[in-house]
Amino acid sequence: MFLAQQIWKEKENMKRPGGKPLYLALACTSFIWHVSVRAQSQSASDTAWDNGKFHIDVAGVISRSNIVLDAPNIQAREAMPLGNGSLGAAVWSANGFTAQLNRADTLPYRYSLGQVEIPGLIPLTNARDYSGRLDLYSGEFRESGGGMTATVYMQPHTDTMIVDVTGADPDHAQTAKLDLWPPRSPHASAAGKTGILSQVWNDNKAPGASGLSFGTLSAITAEGRGLSVTITDPRTITLSFEPYPDGHFRIIIAGPHYDGSQIEQDAVTPALVQTNEGEHKRWWHAFWHRAATIKITSADGVGAYMENLRNIYLYAAAAEKGKEYPGTQAGVADMLSSGRDAHHWDSSAFWHWNLRMQVAANLGAGLSELNAPYFNLYRENLANIEDWTKKHMLRRPGACIAETMRFNGQGVEYEPSWPPNQPSLQVAYDCDAQFQPYANSRTVSTGAEVSLWVWQQYLATNDRSFLISNYPIMAASARFLLAYQKVGPDGLLHTGPSNAHETQWDVTDPTTDIAACLALYPATIQAANLLGKDADLVEQLKAALLKIPPYPRAQVTSPQTLVKPAADAEGQDMIVDSYLPATINHNNENIGLEPVWPYNLIGPESLLFPLALRTYTHRPYPATADWSYDPIQAARLGLGKEVGETLAAITEKYQDSINGFANWDQQYGEFYVELGGIVATSLQEALVQDYDGLIRVAPATPPGWDFDGSAYIRGKTKVDVQVRHGVPTTVAIEAGTTQRLKIRNPWPNEKIEILSGSGVRTENHAMGSIVTFKAVAGSSYLMKRAEAQATTLRFVPVTGLPAHSPKKLGRAQIGLFGRSQ
């Protein structure tokens, strides 16, 4: 049993007469127990839809997710994240103020640009009236106390961090320090009012080295009186100055891209002088108004906690997006790290398993642009990947995309910090036919999944130029899988030795391979036909689709042995990892559920749906990692209760950082963003699904959770939904593309009608389970029960008030309570 406490108190519902907080103890399921404040009253007769628009106060709703500090965040593991997509920072209150700057392009070591300290803020952080807020909507971290304030933010276009301070003693000298740490060996310089630390290196040592040059460059200056810049030591720059007479001063730190080919001063000058007031707010406000907003309320407060985690994820995804490469690898938000240069996982490589939930979350939120670095990683490396495949996969054609892939397309995982007395464990090769059995040495399904995300992104955006650019990934991945399949005595096409991802090594026909072929081949056929390409490949794929073996099945009880598909009729079997179910497991992944998500092959209308439900019920590893896909797969299976319970379970287990991130091992100071990606994707899937072209409204909302919000589906189209007591009360569609939509009736066994945005009836529908209608790009539509009159619904916009206290869910929390609590 997990203990979950929710003590978030919104202003409109936090007090009873007399001004005392109202708490209600609620006994819930045997799985979870919550103590909560009273939930805000919601009415099924209210709607936020009026005059063709879904009215939601984006600023107010996002402000519900602000991170509140009632005490200074002294520890590096308590750091608040900031970023502009290319420069990231972690900010905490050690020595008054400490911030670490990071970029995604300081490969292969992902070296930090350095840390900044401002000891003059100690009076602020030590003050009895200290208060801190990370304002997600405006992208600011604000602190106040002892009559001082500090506002920290990133400039959106100049890779600059600003620390704006008011209320300082104008007669008290201030210092600011920019430094690195051993064994870093930067070049320190001072020119006029600016101090600079720079370092350049070549990627020429580790296995799979690219031979490219990389570097870090950070510069610091200040606005104040009598500024002087000193090179304190080879790794430290110190500024000395006095505040202006009104007690105001500003520290400006630049961290532009640098690889040694630029003149240092030329690289930093634009960033240091272009400090456009308020530009960061406009940038963040525009971001949030592009994103699909979701508000969740529940009596136990867990829904609002998950809403908070989703918004933190979207904020982090924008802050650490990266340009050429993703800002996260191995599920780690590297650009938001506070751990200096420490990395537990190979810092030059990307783990696809820990990226995919983020790609999905971005698509569902309508933020497809955040996926650009992900696709660039594989598209720009395709030639390198194909060359690796020829050399390491017995000259096979196409692309075997390594599950753990170096930034230059090499299938190398290099862990020099791992056992020095066992060098064989320090380097592993993925997509390698001759390497020893290992986690991903023969995982051959990754290319199929990357390709499917290409196809999903195209379906979401209708961006033909994107598909043209990325279709070669699909074709190359399909060609490789065709070459890897072999005809068996049964006349079917089999794969092996293959890995069932990291769980089973070198087995026959893993479920991941079967799902990869069943999903990739039709998508590649559609893409090729759409673009008029590869007719020969299309015919090969059509023929291969007829010869793919069924999913491996075994009894739901141990010991598991293979059974035939006919066993489905008895209802005692499940999908297992491979055709060798007794093989030892090396990781805790529920491989049998991969056909449900991300491969989109089994849904409620599938004949295999009961089999998938049994596979979920008897999955071997429930909620066992911060990247657990249980809640997403539960949403696909229509299991709303499981969505809520598994989200709460993995959050309580793994969300160890007050900034909302997970933490695999606190000694490294790395923040894991993959949990947020799981939460965001799960909530979006619970609200709206269209993975197979059928729109499902509120297919898996957890019991007791009321939703007000939106999710994006295919064709740049947004679906706006309000759910009360598990029943949709508002269903509206904002069409981004002219197309005929197919929707599962949100009110089963009821007759519905569809109104245009102006309230004109466009189509009448008899009672039925599936509704179809033609939507026109730029138009909006309201779906309603035919018997219900639109005038019976009271117009009430979706609003929200800023968070004003930390939040708690069992052992997890967002924000900091006062040190005495």
Side-chain angles (χ1 to χ4, degrees), residues 386-404:
E386 290 178 310
D387 182 63
W388 176 273
T389 302
K390 286 186 176 66
K391 292 178 179 177
H392 294 265
M393 293 300 281
L394 306 179
R395 307 297 298 174
R396 289 184 175 94
C400 181
I401 295 181
E403 174 65 19
T404 303

Side-chain angles (χ1 to χ4, degrees), residues 441-455:
S441 55
R442 277 165 290 282
T443 295
V444 300
S445 56
T446 306
E449 196 185 336
V450 174
S451 300
L452 286 169
W453 289 120
V454 169
W455 184 239

Side-chain angles (χ1 to χ4, degrees), residues 3-9 13-17 20-28 32-41 298-302 808:
L3 178 63
Q5 281 189 311
Q6 171 62 25
I7 60 171
W8 179 27
K9 305 177 290 295
N13 63 22
M14 71 170 286
K15 294 185 178 181
R16 61 169 70 182
K20 301 297 183 182
L22 173 63
Y23 295 88
L24 296 178
L26 299 174
C28 295
I32 212 162
W33 179 70
H34 300 281
V35 178
S36 171
V37 297
R38 181 180 60 196
Q40 182 180 1
S41 175
S298 62
D300 58 17
V302 179
K808 193 168 181 63

Side-chain angles (χ1 to χ4, degrees), residues 104 106-111 329-330 334 341-351 406-407 414-416 670:
T106 61
L107 296 162
Y109 312 112
R110 294 186 185 270
Y111 279 155
Q329 57 88 29
D334 297 279
D341 294 322
H343 302 284
H344 182 75
W345 307 104
D346 182 351
S347 54
S348 69
F350 293 86
W351 274 250
R406 214 170 185 270
F407 68 90
Y414 178 52
E415 306 289 357
E670 294 183 297

Side-chain angles (χ1 to χ4, degrees), residues 389-467:
T389 302
K390 286 186 176 66
K391 292 178 179 177
H392 294 265
M393 293 300 281
L394 306 179
R395 307 297 298 174
R396 289 184 175 94
C400 181
I401 295 181
E403 174 65 19
T404 303
M405 190 186 82
R406 214 170 185 270
F407 68 90
N408 57 335
Q410 307 300 292
V412 176
E413 178 188 355
Y414 178 52
E415 306 289 357
S417 63
W418 288 12
N421 60 335
Q422 301 181 58
S424 63
L425 296 181
Q426 293 183 335
V427 61
Y429 291 152
D430 292 1
C431 277
D432 190 306
Q434 297 178 315
F435 192 73
Q436 66 190 51
Y438 191 64
N440 286 302
S441 55
R442 277 165 290 282
T443 295
V444 300
S445 56
T446 306
E449 196 185 336
V450 174
S451 300
L452 286 169
W453 289 120
V454 169
W455 184 239
Q456 291 295 322
Q457 177 110 345
Y458 166 72
L459 292 176
T461 62
N462 279 358
D463 186 342
R464 188 181 178 90
S465 62
F466 167 84
L467 183 61

